[in-house]
Amino acid sequence: MLKGLIGKKIGMTQIFDENGVAIPVTVIEAGPCYVTQVRTPENDGYSAVQLGFEEVKPKRLTGGELGHLKRNNLPPLRFLREFRVKNPEVKEGDKVTVECFAVGERVDVVGTSKGKGFQGGVKRYHFRGGPKTHGQSDRHRAPGSRSSGTTPGRVYKGSRGPGHMGNDRVTAQGLKVVLVDTERNLIGVKGSVPGAKGGLVVIKEARKQ
Amino acid sequence: MSEQILKAIEPQPNPNVPPLRPGDVVSVHVKIKEGNRERVQEFKGTVLFTKNAGAGSTFTVRRIASNGIGVERTFLTYSPRIEKVVVERHSKVRRARLFYLRNRTGKSARLKQRF
């Protein structure tokens, strides 16, 4: 069964459950998505479903993109994403809506985290920084030593340090679905979701159930 | 646009909670679940401050417990657990947040009534 949607993060709020306990909720406007292509082991070597989301003016897409969608008489769609599923049980041209998720299920939400720009080691990797007292000057947020000395005489690749932070693909795993609004195509998950409001998110069945 | 969508999702304000102001002496009736039984607990005290933030709005009530220890409790204004809030009197206050009441006891902790 295909369980996946592409959506847009709307924002966070809180709702009350039946016991009156407040739950933090991230609301995502998800779907309706269209099945733009079904990948099969025979044709592509693996099975997956390609979904498209958000209708746009035709002039926003390239001719190749339009042709790809036209094959199944689909409207121009801005985003295409693939979902690896064994038995999709959907055909090309099908519509997928929030109904594929039910309240209480666990989902993974993939988003792009907010960009933080070039950041120091303290913020980026929780380095401790230097001592705050004992005559220190300009050492408070310094990264300290990055490596050993003469041997090996270089910094190992991949060692942590200052650099660009954020704007990464991040997955929030095992979020509980607390709200499904078929009328407005909304889905609400408990807890936060990576990225800014309006950012593109992909909702999938939870990998760790 | 997105704010409107959120508004549609957010719970409606609890109709049993009247508009509160700092300095109000209120008695808050909260439903409490104990096992299977549900009962109503009363919490009576002075509203120190309110936070108006849509579905996340809260108000904080301070009372002096039997042993003279101040107890503060923050309630979610929209919470369906609040059965009712009775405003017993308003006070004349000149602040939006009555933090200074925490440092006062006895006579100096009194507030003048506003009619």
mmCIF file with all atom_site columns, all heavy atoms in Angstrom, chain A residues 10-14 16 19 21-22 27 179 184 186 197, chain B residues 2-3 5 8-11 33 55-56 76 78-81:
data_model
loop_
_atom_site.group_PDB
_atom_site.id
_atom_site.type_symbol
_atom_site.label_atom_id
_atom_site.label_alt_id
_atom_site.label_comp_id
_atom_site.label_asym_id
_atom_site.label_entity_id
_atom_site.label_seq_id
_atom_site.pdbx_PDB_ins_code
_atom_site.Cartn_x
_atom_site.Cartn_y
_atom_site.Cartn_z
_atom_site.occupancy
_atom_site.B_iso_or_equiv
_atom_site.pdbx_formal_charge
_atom_site.auth_seq_id
_atom_site.auth_comp_id
_atom_site.auth_asym_id
_atom_site.auth_atom_id
_atom_site.pdbx_PDB_model_num
ATOM 1   N N   . ILE A 1 10  ? 2.365   24.360 7.421  1.00 0.00 ? 10  ILE A N   1
ATOM 2   C CA  . ILE A 1 10  ? 1.534   25.533 7.649  1.00 0.00 ? 10  ILE A CA  1
ATOM 3   C C   . ILE A 1 10  ? 1.976   26.256 8.910  1.00 0.00 ? 10  ILE A C   1
ATOM 4   O O   . ILE A 1 10  ? 2.094   27.465 8.952  1.00 0.00 ? 10  ILE A O   1
ATOM 5   C CB  . ILE A 1 10  ? 0.045   25.135 7.766  1.00 0.00 ? 10  ILE A CB  1
ATOM 6   C CG1 . ILE A 1 10  ? -0.451  24.523 6.452  1.00 0.00 ? 10  ILE A CG1 1
ATOM 7   C CG2 . ILE A 1 10  ? -0.801  26.316 8.145  1.00 0.00 ? 10  ILE A CG2 1
ATOM 8   C CD1 . ILE A 1 10  ? -0.478  25.470 5.295  1.00 0.00 ? 10  ILE A CD1 1
ATOM 9   N N   . GLY A 1 11  ? 2.234   25.491 9.958  1.00 0.00 ? 11  GLY A N   1
ATOM 10  C CA  . GLY A 1 11  ? 2.662   26.121 11.192 1.00 0.00 ? 11  GLY A CA  1
ATOM 11  C C   . GLY A 1 11  ? 2.269   25.266 12.378 1.00 0.00 ? 11  GLY A C   1
ATOM 12  O O   . GLY A 1 11  ? 1.700   24.185 12.215 1.00 0.00 ? 11  GLY A O   1
ATOM 13  N N   . MET A 1 12  ? 2.564   25.772 13.576 1.00 0.00 ? 12  MET A N   1
ATOM 14  C CA  . MET A 1 12  ? 2.271   24.991 14.784 1.00 0.00 ? 12  MET A CA  1
ATOM 15  C C   . MET A 1 12  ? 1.180   25.658 15.600 1.00 0.00 ? 12  MET A C   1
ATOM 16  O O   . MET A 1 12  ? 1.014   26.872 15.598 1.00 0.00 ? 12  MET A O   1
ATOM 17  C CB  . MET A 1 12  ? 3.523   24.824 15.638 1.00 0.00 ? 12  MET A CB  1
ATOM 18  C CG  . MET A 1 12  ? 4.528   23.886 15.015 1.00 0.00 ? 12  MET A CG  1
ATOM 19  S SD  . MET A 1 12  ? 5.782   23.351 16.183 1.00 0.00 ? 12  MET A SD  1
ATOM 20  C CE  . MET A 1 12  ? 4.853   22.196 17.191 1.00 0.00 ? 12  MET A CE  1
ATOM 21  N N   . THR A 1 13  ? 0.443   24.817 16.312 1.00 0.00 ? 13  THR A N   1
ATOM 22  C CA  . THR A 1 13  ? -0.558  25.310 17.244 1.00 0.00 ? 13  THR A CA  1
ATOM 23  C C   . THR A 1 13  ? -0.729  24.214 18.290 1.00 0.00 ? 13  THR A C   1
ATOM 24  O O   . THR A 1 13  ? 0.082   23.293 18.358 1.00 0.00 ? 13  THR A O   1
ATOM 25  C CB  . THR A 1 13  ? -1.881  25.636 16.525 1.00 0.00 ? 13  THR A CB  1
ATOM 26  O OG1 . THR A 1 13  ? -2.798  26.150 17.467 1.00 0.00 ? 13  THR A OG1 1
ATOM 27  C CG2 . THR A 1 13  ? -2.467  24.428 15.855 1.00 0.00 ? 13  THR A CG2 1
ATOM 28  N N   . GLN A 1 14  ? -1.763  24.332 19.111 1.00 0.00 ? 14  GLN A N   1
ATOM 29  C CA  . GLN A 1 14  ? -2.019  23.220 20.009 1.00 0.00 ? 14  GLN A CA  1
ATOM 30  C C   . GLN A 1 14  ? -3.505  22.917 20.041 1.00 0.00 ? 14  GLN A C   1
ATOM 31  O O   . GLN A 1 14  ? -4.341  23.801 19.890 1.00 0.00 ? 14  GLN A O   1
ATOM 32  C CB  . GLN A 1 14  ? -1.474  23.463 21.412 1.00 0.00 ? 14  GLN A CB  1
ATOM 33  C CG  . GLN A 1 14  ? -2.082  24.634 22.141 1.00 0.00 ? 14  GLN A CG  1
ATOM 34  C CD  . GLN A 1 14  ? -1.408  24.823 23.497 1.00 0.00 ? 14  GLN A CD  1
ATOM 35  O OE1 . GLN A 1 14  ? -0.355  24.293 23.759 1.00 0.00 ? 14  GLN A OE1 1
ATOM 36  N NE2 . GLN A 1 14  ? -2.037  25.594 24.342 1.00 0.00 ? 14  GLN A NE2 1
ATOM 37  N N   . PHE A 1 16  ? -6.553  20.086 21.998 1.00 0.00 ? 16  PHE A N   1
ATOM 38  C CA  . PHE A 1 16  ? -6.782  19.314 23.214 1.00 0.00 ? 16  PHE A CA  1
ATOM 39  C C   . PHE A 1 16  ? -7.280  17.936 22.840 1.00 0.00 ? 16  PHE A C   1
ATOM 40  O O   . PHE A 1 16  ? -8.094  17.793 21.933 1.00 0.00 ? 16  PHE A O   1
ATOM 41  C CB  . PHE A 1 16  ? -7.800  20.012 24.109 1.00 0.00 ? 16  PHE A CB  1
ATOM 42  C CG  . PHE A 1 16  ? -7.315  21.325 24.633 1.00 0.00 ? 16  PHE A CG  1
ATOM 43  C CD1 . PHE A 1 16  ? -7.690  22.509 24.028 1.00 0.00 ? 16  PHE A CD1 1
ATOM 44  C CD2 . PHE A 1 16  ? -6.454  21.373 25.710 1.00 0.00 ? 16  PHE A CD2 1
ATOM 45  C CE1 . PHE A 1 16  ? -7.228  23.722 24.501 1.00 0.00 ? 16  PHE A CE1 1
ATOM 46  C CE2 . PHE A 1 16  ? -5.988  22.583 26.185 1.00 0.00 ? 16  PHE A CE2 1
ATOM 47  C CZ  . PHE A 1 16  ? -6.381  23.757 25.583 1.00 0.00 ? 16  PHE A CZ  1
ATOM 48  N N   . ASN A 1 19  ? -8.991  13.880 26.828 1.00 0.00 ? 19  ASN A N   1
ATOM 49  C CA  . ASN A 1 19  ? -8.816  14.075 28.264 1.00 0.00 ? 19  ASN A CA  1
ATOM 50  C C   . ASN A 1 19  ? -8.564  15.531 28.631 1.00 0.00 ? 19  ASN A C   1
ATOM 51  O O   . ASN A 1 19  ? -8.338  15.851 29.790 1.00 0.00 ? 19  ASN A O   1
ATOM 52  C CB  . ASN A 1 19  ? -7.649  13.223 28.763 1.00 0.00 ? 19  ASN A CB  1
ATOM 53  C CG  . ASN A 1 19  ? -7.963  11.751 28.671 1.00 0.00 ? 19  ASN A CG  1
ATOM 54  O OD1 . ASN A 1 19  ? -9.092  11.354 28.900 1.00 0.00 ? 19  ASN A OD1 1
ATOM 55  N ND2 . ASN A 1 19  ? -6.982  10.959 28.302 1.00 0.00 ? 19  ASN A ND2 1
ATOM 56  N N   . VAL A 1 21  ? -5.943  17.206 27.565 1.00 0.00 ? 21  VAL A N   1
ATOM 57  C CA  . VAL A 1 21  ? -4.504  17.464 27.591 1.00 0.00 ? 21  VAL A CA  1
ATOM 58  C C   . VAL A 1 21  ? -4.125  18.172 26.298 1.00 0.00 ? 21  VAL A C   1
ATOM 59  O O   . VAL A 1 21  ? -4.532  17.770 25.211 1.00 0.00 ? 21  VAL A O   1
ATOM 60  C CB  . VAL A 1 21  ? -3.721  16.135 27.725 1.00 0.00 ? 21  VAL A CB  1
ATOM 61  C CG1 . VAL A 1 21  ? -2.225  16.403 27.738 1.00 0.00 ? 21  VAL A CG1 1
ATOM 62  C CG2 . VAL A 1 21  ? -4.139  15.408 28.972 1.00 0.00 ? 21  VAL A CG2 1
ATOM 63  N N   . ALA A 1 22  ? -3.343  19.248 26.433 1.00 0.00 ? 22  ALA A N   1
ATOM 64  C CA  . ALA A 1 22  ? -2.935  20.003 25.249 1.00 0.00 ? 22  ALA A CA  1
ATOM 65  C C   . ALA A 1 22  ? -1.839  19.249 24.506 1.00 0.00 ? 22  ALA A C   1
ATOM 66  O O   . ALA A 1 22  ? -0.891  18.759 25.117 1.00 0.00 ? 22  ALA A O   1
ATOM 67  C CB  . ALA A 1 22  ? -2.434  21.385 25.666 1.00 0.00 ? 22  ALA A CB  1
ATOM 68  N N   . VAL A 1 27  ? 0.736   21.588 11.705 1.00 0.00 ? 27  VAL A N   1
ATOM 69  C CA  . VAL A 1 27  ? -0.272  21.385 10.669 1.00 0.00 ? 27  VAL A CA  1
ATOM 70  C C   . VAL A 1 27  ? 0.415   21.427 9.307  1.00 0.00 ? 27  VAL A C   1
ATOM 71  O O   . VAL A 1 27  ? 1.221   22.316 9.025  1.00 0.00 ? 27  VAL A O   1
ATOM 72  C CB  . VAL A 1 27  ? -1.362  22.461 10.760 1.00 0.00 ? 27  VAL A CB  1
ATOM 73  C CG1 . VAL A 1 27  ? -2.418  22.226 9.706  1.00 0.00 ? 27  VAL A CG1 1
ATOM 74  C CG2 . VAL A 1 27  ? -1.981  22.463 12.144 1.00 0.00 ? 27  VAL A CG2 1
ATOM 75  N N   . LEU A 1 179 ? -4.428  14.479 13.654 1.00 0.00 ? 179 LEU A N   1
ATOM 76  C CA  . LEU A 1 179 ? -5.511  15.228 13.021 1.00 0.00 ? 179 LEU A CA  1
ATOM 77  C C   . LEU A 1 179 ? -5.468  14.945 11.523 1.00 0.00 ? 179 LEU A C   1
ATOM 78  O O   . LEU A 1 179 ? -4.418  14.987 10.899 1.00 0.00 ? 179 LEU A O   1
ATOM 79  C CB  . LEU A 1 179 ? -5.250  16.704 13.294 1.00 0.00 ? 179 LEU A CB  1
ATOM 80  C CG  . LEU A 1 179 ? -6.205  17.770 12.829 1.00 0.00 ? 179 LEU A CG  1
ATOM 81  C CD1 . LEU A 1 179 ? -6.295  18.778 13.950 1.00 0.00 ? 179 LEU A CD1 1
ATOM 82  C CD2 . LEU A 1 179 ? -5.726  18.459 11.600 1.00 0.00 ? 179 LEU A CD2 1
ATOM 83  N N   . ARG A 1 184 ? -10.114 20.021 4.051  1.00 0.00 ? 184 ARG A N   1
ATOM 84  C CA  . ARG A 1 184 ? -9.133  21.058 3.762  1.00 0.00 ? 184 ARG A CA  1
ATOM 85  C C   . ARG A 1 184 ? -7.769  20.493 3.403  1.00 0.00 ? 184 ARG A C   1
ATOM 86  O O   . ARG A 1 184 ? -6.800  21.240 3.311  1.00 0.00 ? 184 ARG A O   1
ATOM 87  C CB  . ARG A 1 184 ? -8.998  21.977 4.976  1.00 0.00 ? 184 ARG A CB  1
ATOM 88  C CG  . ARG A 1 184 ? -10.136 22.977 5.079  1.00 0.00 ? 184 ARG A CG  1
ATOM 89  C CD  . ARG A 1 184 ? -9.874  23.934 6.192  1.00 0.00 ? 184 ARG A CD  1
ATOM 90  N NE  . ARG A 1 184 ? -10.048 23.256 7.470  1.00 0.00 ? 184 ARG A NE  1
ATOM 91  C CZ  . ARG A 1 184 ? -10.998 23.567 8.341  1.00 0.00 ? 184 ARG A CZ  1
ATOM 92  N NH1 . ARG A 1 184 ? -11.801 24.539 8.100  1.00 0.00 ? 184 ARG A NH1 1
ATOM 93  N NH2 . ARG A 1 184 ? -11.101 22.910 9.476  1.00 0.00 ? 184 ARG A NH2 1
ATOM 94  N N   . LEU A 1 186 ? -5.707  18.694 5.230  1.00 0.00 ? 186 LEU A N   1
ATOM 95  C CA  . LEU A 1 186 ? -4.743  19.001 6.280  1.00 0.00 ? 186 LEU A CA  1
ATOM 96  C C   . LEU A 1 186 ? -4.420  17.743 7.064  1.00 0.00 ? 186 LEU A C   1
ATOM 97  O O   . LEU A 1 186 ? -5.266  16.859 7.229  1.00 0.00 ? 186 LEU A O   1
ATOM 98  C CB  . LEU A 1 186 ? -5.295  20.054 7.236  1.00 0.00 ? 186 LEU A CB  1
ATOM 99  C CG  . LEU A 1 186 ? -5.617  21.418 6.656  1.00 0.00 ? 186 LEU A CG  1
ATOM 100 C CD1 . LEU A 1 186 ? -6.205  22.302 7.724  1.00 0.00 ? 186 LEU A CD1 1
ATOM 101 C CD2 . LEU A 1 186 ? -4.390  22.047 6.058  1.00 0.00 ? 186 LEU A CD2 1
ATOM 102 N N   . LYS A 1 197 ? 7.854   27.706 7.913  1.00 0.00 ? 197 LYS A N   1
ATOM 103 C CA  . LYS A 1 197 ? 6.471   27.676 7.442  1.00 0.00 ? 197 LYS A CA  1
ATOM 104 C C   . LYS A 1 197 ? 6.475   27.831 5.931  1.00 0.00 ? 197 LYS A C   1
ATOM 105 O O   . LYS A 1 197 ? 7.238   28.631 5.385  1.00 0.00 ? 197 LYS A O   1
ATOM 106 C CB  . LYS A 1 197 ? 5.682   28.838 8.046  1.00 0.00 ? 197 LYS A CB  1
ATOM 107 C CG  . LYS A 1 197 ? 5.355   28.656 9.494  1.00 0.00 ? 197 LYS A CG  1
ATOM 108 C CD  . LYS A 1 197 ? 4.567   29.868 9.961  1.00 0.00 ? 197 LYS A CD  1
ATOM 109 C CE  . LYS A 1 197 ? 4.520   29.925 11.460 1.00 0.00 ? 197 LYS A CE  1
ATOM 110 N NZ  . LYS A 1 197 ? 3.906   31.154 11.953 1.00 0.00 ? 197 LYS A NZ  1
ATOM 111 N N   . SER B 2 2   ? -1.722  31.108 5.811  1.00 0.00 ? 2   SER B N   1
ATOM 112 C CA  . SER B 2 2   ? -1.487  29.957 6.677  1.00 0.00 ? 2   SER B CA  1
ATOM 113 C C   . SER B 2 2   ? -2.047  30.205 8.068  1.00 0.00 ? 2   SER B C   1
ATOM 114 O O   . SER B 2 2   ? -2.476  29.277 8.751  1.00 0.00 ? 2   SER B O   1
ATOM 115 C CB  . SER B 2 2   ? 0.007   29.654 6.754  1.00 0.00 ? 2   SER B CB  1
ATOM 116 O OG  . SER B 2 2   ? 0.696   30.750 7.294  1.00 0.00 ? 2   SER B OG  1
ATOM 117 N N   . GLU B 2 3   ? -2.054  31.497 8.471  1.00 0.00 ? 3   GLU B N   1
ATOM 118 C CA  . GLU B 2 3   ? -2.613  31.809 9.788  1.00 0.00 ? 3   GLU B CA  1
ATOM 119 C C   . GLU B 2 3   ? -4.093  31.462 9.834  1.00 0.00 ? 3   GLU B C   1
ATOM 120 O O   . GLU B 2 3   ? -4.603  30.981 10.840 1.00 0.00 ? 3   GLU B O   1
ATOM 121 C CB  . GLU B 2 3   ? -2.413  33.287 10.105 1.00 0.00 ? 3   GLU B CB  1
ATOM 122 C CG  . GLU B 2 3   ? -0.976  33.693 10.335 1.00 0.00 ? 3   GLU B CG  1
ATOM 123 C CD  . GLU B 2 3   ? -0.342  32.964 11.508 1.00 0.00 ? 3   GLU B CD  1
ATOM 124 O OE1 . GLU B 2 3   ? -0.991  32.870 12.557 1.00 0.00 ? 3   GLU B OE1 1
ATOM 125 O OE2 . GLU B 2 3   ? 0.790   32.474 11.363 1.00 0.00 ? 3   GLU B OE2 1
ATOM 126 N N   . ILE B 2 5   ? -5.578  29.130 8.118  1.00 0.00 ? 5   ILE B N   1
ATOM 127 C CA  . ILE B 2 5   ? -5.748  27.676 8.197  1.00 0.00 ? 5   ILE B CA  1
ATOM 128 C C   . ILE B 2 5   ? -5.560  27.224 9.636  1.00 0.00 ? 5   ILE B C   1
ATOM 129 O O   . ILE B 2 5   ? -6.310  26.400 10.160 1.00 0.00 ? 5   ILE B O   1
ATOM 130 C CB  . ILE B 2 5   ? -4.754  26.973 7.257  1.00 0.00 ? 5   ILE B CB  1
ATOM 131 C CG1 . ILE B 2 5   ? -5.022  27.394 5.809  1.00 0.00 ? 5   ILE B CG1 1
ATOM 132 C CG2 . ILE B 2 5   ? -4.853  25.473 7.398  1.00 0.00 ? 5   ILE B CG2 1
ATOM 133 C CD1 . ILE B 2 5   ? -4.030  26.878 4.814  1.00 0.00 ? 5   ILE B CD1 1
ATOM 134 N N   . ALA B 2 8   ? -8.521  27.826 11.826 1.00 0.00 ? 8   ALA B N   1
ATOM 135 C CA  . ALA B 2 8   ? -9.620  26.885 11.633 1.00 0.00 ? 8   ALA B CA  1
ATOM 136 C C   . ALA B 2 8   ? -9.406  25.601 12.417 1.00 0.00 ? 8   ALA B C   1
ATOM 137 O O   . ALA B 2 8   ? -10.361 24.926 12.796 1.00 0.00 ? 8   ALA B O   1
ATOM 138 C CB  . ALA B 2 8   ? -9.766  26.582 10.143 1.00 0.00 ? 8   ALA B CB  1
ATOM 139 N N   . ILE B 2 9   ? -8.144  25.264 12.670 1.00 0.00 ? 9   ILE B N   1
ATOM 140 C CA  . ILE B 2 9   ? -7.815  24.021 13.367 1.00 0.00 ? 9   ILE B CA  1
ATOM 141 C C   . ILE B 2 9   ? -7.888  24.217 14.872 1.00 0.00 ? 9   ILE B C   1
ATOM 142 O O   . ILE B 2 9   ? -8.290  23.343 15.626 1.00 0.00 ? 9   ILE B O   1
ATOM 143 C CB  . ILE B 2 9   ? -6.393  23.568 12.975 1.00 0.00 ? 9   ILE B CB  1
ATOM 144 C CG1 . ILE B 2 9   ? -6.332  23.222 11.496 1.00 0.00 ? 9   ILE B CG1 1
ATOM 145 C CG2 . ILE B 2 9   ? -5.907  22.414 13.815 1.00 0.00 ? 9   ILE B CG2 1
ATOM 146 C CD1 . ILE B 2 9   ? -7.179  22.066 11.102 1.00 0.00 ? 9   ILE B CD1 1
ATOM 147 N N   . GLU B 2 10  ? -7.505  25.408 15.319 1.00 0.00 ? 10  GLU B N   1
ATOM 148 C CA  . GLU B 2 10  ? -7.368  25.649 16.749 1.00 0.00 ? 10  GLU B CA  1
ATOM 149 C C   . GLU B 2 10  ? -8.699  25.474 17.475 1.00 0.00 ? 10  GLU B C   1
ATOM 150 O O   . GLU B 2 10  ? -9.754  25.752 16.913 1.00 0.00 ? 10  GLU B O   1
ATOM 151 C CB  . GLU B 2 10  ? -6.841  27.069 16.982 1.00 0.00 ? 10  GLU B CB  1
ATOM 152 C CG  . GLU B 2 10  ? -5.351  27.131 16.799 1.00 0.00 ? 10  GLU B CG  1
ATOM 153 C CD  . GLU B 2 10  ? -4.825  28.547 16.751 1.00 0.00 ? 10  GLU B CD  1
ATOM 154 O OE1 . GLU B 2 10  ? -5.623  29.486 16.904 1.00 0.00 ? 10  GLU B OE1 1
ATOM 155 O OE2 . GLU B 2 10  ? -3.613  28.692 16.557 1.00 0.00 ? 10  GLU B OE2 1
ATOM 156 N N   . PRO B 2 11  ? -8.631  25.018 18.715 1.00 0.00 ? 11  PRO B N   1
ATOM 157 C CA  . PRO B 2 11  ? -9.865  24.850 19.474 1.00 0.00 ? 11  PRO B CA  1
ATOM 158 C C   . PRO B 2 11  ? -10.542 26.188 19.742 1.00 0.00 ? 11  PRO B C   1
ATOM 159 O O   . PRO B 2 11  ? -9.898  27.230 19.749 1.00 0.00 ? 11  PRO B O   1
ATOM 160 C CB  . PRO B 2 11  ? -9.400  24.202 20.773 1.00 0.00 ? 11  PRO B CB  1
ATOM 161 C CG  . PRO B 2 11  ? -7.955  24.506 20.870 1.00 0.00 ? 11  PRO B CG  1
ATOM 162 C CD  . PRO B 2 11  ? -7.441  24.640 19.480 1.00 0.00 ? 11  PRO B CD  1
ATOM 163 N N   . LYS B 2 33  ? -9.196  14.107 36.884 1.00 0.00 ? 33  LYS B N   1
ATOM 164 C CA  . LYS B 2 33  ? -9.473  12.675 36.738 1.00 0.00 ? 33  LYS B CA  1
ATOM 165 C C   . LYS B 2 33  ? -8.640  11.914 37.748 1.00 0.00 ? 33  LYS B C   1
ATOM 166 O O   . LYS B 2 33  ? -7.429  12.047 37.810 1.00 0.00 ? 33  LYS B O   1
ATOM 167 C CB  . LYS B 2 33  ? -9.103  12.226 35.317 1.00 0.00 ? 33  LYS B CB  1
ATOM 168 C CG  . LYS B 2 33  ? -10.326 12.034 34.448 1.00 0.00 ? 33  LYS B CG  1
ATOM 169 C CD  . LYS B 2 33  ? -10.119 10.975 33.412 1.00 0.00 ? 33  LYS B CD  1
ATOM 170 C CE  . LYS B 2 33  ? -11.449 10.724 32.736 1.00 0.00 ? 33  LYS B CE  1
ATOM 171 N NZ  . LYS B 2 33  ? -11.391 11.069 31.318 1.00 0.00 ? 33  LYS B NZ  1
ATOM 172 N N   . ALA B 2 55  ? -4.677  29.894 20.962 1.00 0.00 ? 55  ALA B N   1
ATOM 173 C CA  . ALA B 2 55  ? -4.937  28.617 21.602 1.00 0.00 ? 55  ALA B CA  1
ATOM 174 C C   . ALA B 2 55  ? -3.957  28.339 22.736 1.00 0.00 ? 55  ALA B C   1
ATOM 175 O O   . ALA B 2 55  ? -4.200  27.486 23.579 1.00 0.00 ? 55  ALA B O   1
ATOM 176 C CB  . ALA B 2 55  ? -4.856  27.492 20.585 1.00 0.00 ? 55  ALA B CB  1
ATOM 177 N N   . GLY B 2 56  ? -2.848  29.069 22.763 1.00 0.00 ? 56  GLY B N   1
ATOM 178 C CA  . GLY B 2 56  ? -1.858  28.851 23.820 1.00 0.00 ? 56  GLY B CA  1
ATOM 179 C C   . GLY B 2 56  ? -2.000  29.845 24.960 1.00 0.00 ? 56  GLY B C   1
ATOM 180 O O   . GLY B 2 56  ? -1.090  29.994 25.771 1.00 0.00 ? 56  GLY B O   1
ATOM 181 N N   . LEU B 2 76  ? -4.474  26.803 31.185 1.00 0.00 ? 76  LEU B N   1
ATOM 182 C CA  . LEU B 2 76  ? -4.676  27.112 29.772 1.00 0.00 ? 76  LEU B CA  1
ATOM 183 C C   . LEU B 2 76  ? -6.085  27.672 29.620 1.00 0.00 ? 76  LEU B C   1
ATOM 184 O O   . LEU B 2 76  ? -7.068  27.032 30.007 1.00 0.00 ? 76  LEU B O   1
ATOM 185 C CB  . LEU B 2 76  ? -4.533  25.841 28.933 1.00 0.00 ? 76  LEU B CB  1
ATOM 186 C CG  . LEU B 2 76  ? -3.105  25.389 28.668 1.00 0.00 ? 76  LEU B CG  1
ATOM 187 C CD1 . LEU B 2 76  ? -3.080  23.956 28.226 1.00 0.00 ? 76  LEU B CD1 1
ATOM 188 C CD2 . LEU B 2 76  ? -2.447  26.285 27.651 1.00 0.00 ? 76  LEU B CD2 1
ATOM 189 N N   . TYR B 2 78  ? -7.986  28.093 27.117 1.00 0.00 ? 78  TYR B N   1
ATOM 190 C CA  . TYR B 2 78  ? -8.888  27.385 26.216 1.00 0.00 ? 78  TYR B CA  1
ATOM 191 C C   . TYR B 2 78  ? -9.191  25.975 26.696 1.00 0.00 ? 78  TYR B C   1
ATOM 192 O O   . TYR B 2 78  ? -9.944  25.263 26.059 1.00 0.00 ? 78  TYR B O   1
ATOM 193 C CB  . TYR B 2 78  ? -8.259  27.287 24.819 1.00 0.00 ? 78  TYR B CB  1
ATOM 194 C CG  . TYR B 2 78  ? -8.346  28.553 23.992 1.00 0.00 ? 78  TYR B CG  1
ATOM 195 C CD1 . TYR B 2 78  ? -8.379  29.797 24.580 1.00 0.00 ? 78  TYR B CD1 1
ATOM 196 C CD2 . TYR B 2 78  ? -8.388  28.482 22.610 1.00 0.00 ? 78  TYR B CD2 1
ATOM 197 C CE1 . TYR B 2 78  ? -8.445  30.945 23.822 1.00 0.00 ? 78  TYR B CE1 1
ATOM 198 C CE2 . TYR B 2 78  ? -8.454  29.623 21.833 1.00 0.00 ? 78  TYR B CE2 1
ATOM 199 C CZ  . TYR B 2 78  ? -8.481  30.855 22.451 1.00 0.00 ? 78  TYR B CZ  1
ATOM 200 O OH  . TYR B 2 78  ? -8.549  31.987 21.694 1.00 0.00 ? 78  TYR B OH  1
ATOM 201 N N   . SER B 2 79  ? -8.587  25.561 27.818 1.00 0.00 ? 79  SER B N   1
ATOM 202 C CA  . SER B 2 79  ? -8.670  24.156 28.207 1.00 0.00 ? 79  SER B CA  1
ATOM 203 C C   . SER B 2 79  ? -10.108 23.720 28.494 1.00 0.00 ? 79  SER B C   1
ATOM 204 O O   . SER B 2 79  ? -10.824 24.382 29.243 1.00 0.00 ? 79  SER B O   1
ATOM 205 C CB  . SER B 2 79  ? -7.817  23.923 29.452 1.00 0.00 ? 79  SER B CB  1
ATOM 206 O OG  . SER B 2 79  ? -8.042  22.627 29.946 1.00 0.00 ? 79  SER B OG  1
ATOM 207 N N   . PRO B 2 80  ? -10.539 22.595 27.937 1.00 0.00 ? 80  PRO B N   1
ATOM 208 C CA  . PRO B 2 80  ? -11.879 22.094 28.250 1.00 0.00 ? 80  PRO B CA  1
ATOM 209 C C   . PRO B 2 80  ? -11.970 21.550 29.669 1.00 0.00 ? 80  PRO B C   1
ATOM 210 O O   . PRO B 2 80  ? -13.063 21.247 30.144 1.00 0.00 ? 80  PRO B O   1
ATOM 211 C CB  . PRO B 2 80  ? -12.078 20.986 27.209 1.00 0.00 ? 80  PRO B CB  1
ATOM 212 C CG  . PRO B 2 80  ? -10.715 20.567 26.814 1.00 0.00 ? 80  PRO B CG  1
ATOM 213 C CD  . PRO B 2 80  ? -9.846  21.767 26.960 1.00 0.00 ? 80  PRO B CD  1
ATOM 214 N N   . ARG B 2 81  ? -10.836 21.435 30.365 1.00 0.00 ? 81  ARG B N   1
ATOM 215 C CA  . ARG B 2 81  ? -10.866 20.928 31.733 1.00 0.00 ? 81  ARG B CA  1
ATOM 216 C C   . ARG B 2 81  ? -11.374 21.972 32.717 1.00 0.00 ? 81  ARG B C   1
ATOM 217 O O   . ARG B 2 81  ? -11.725 21.651 33.843 1.00 0.00 ? 81  ARG B O   1
ATOM 218 C CB  . ARG B 2 81  ? -9.460  20.536 32.158 1.00 0.00 ? 81  ARG B CB  1
ATOM 219 C CG  . ARG B 2 81  ? -9.095  19.154 31.742 1.00 0.00 ? 81  ARG B CG  1
ATOM 220 C CD  . ARG B 2 81  ? -7.892  18.762 32.527 1.00 0.00 ? 81  ARG B CD  1
ATOM 221 N NE  . ARG B 2 81  ? -7.296  17.563 32.010 1.00 0.00 ? 81  ARG B NE  1
ATOM 222 C CZ  . ARG B 2 81  ? -6.127  17.117 32.392 1.00 0.00 ? 81  ARG B CZ  1
ATOM 223 N NH1 . ARG B 2 81  ? -5.416  17.796 33.270 1.00 0.00 ? 81  ARG B NH1 1
ATOM 224 N NH2 . ARG B 2 81  ? -5.644  16.011 31.917 1.00 0.00 ? 81  ARG B NH2 1
#
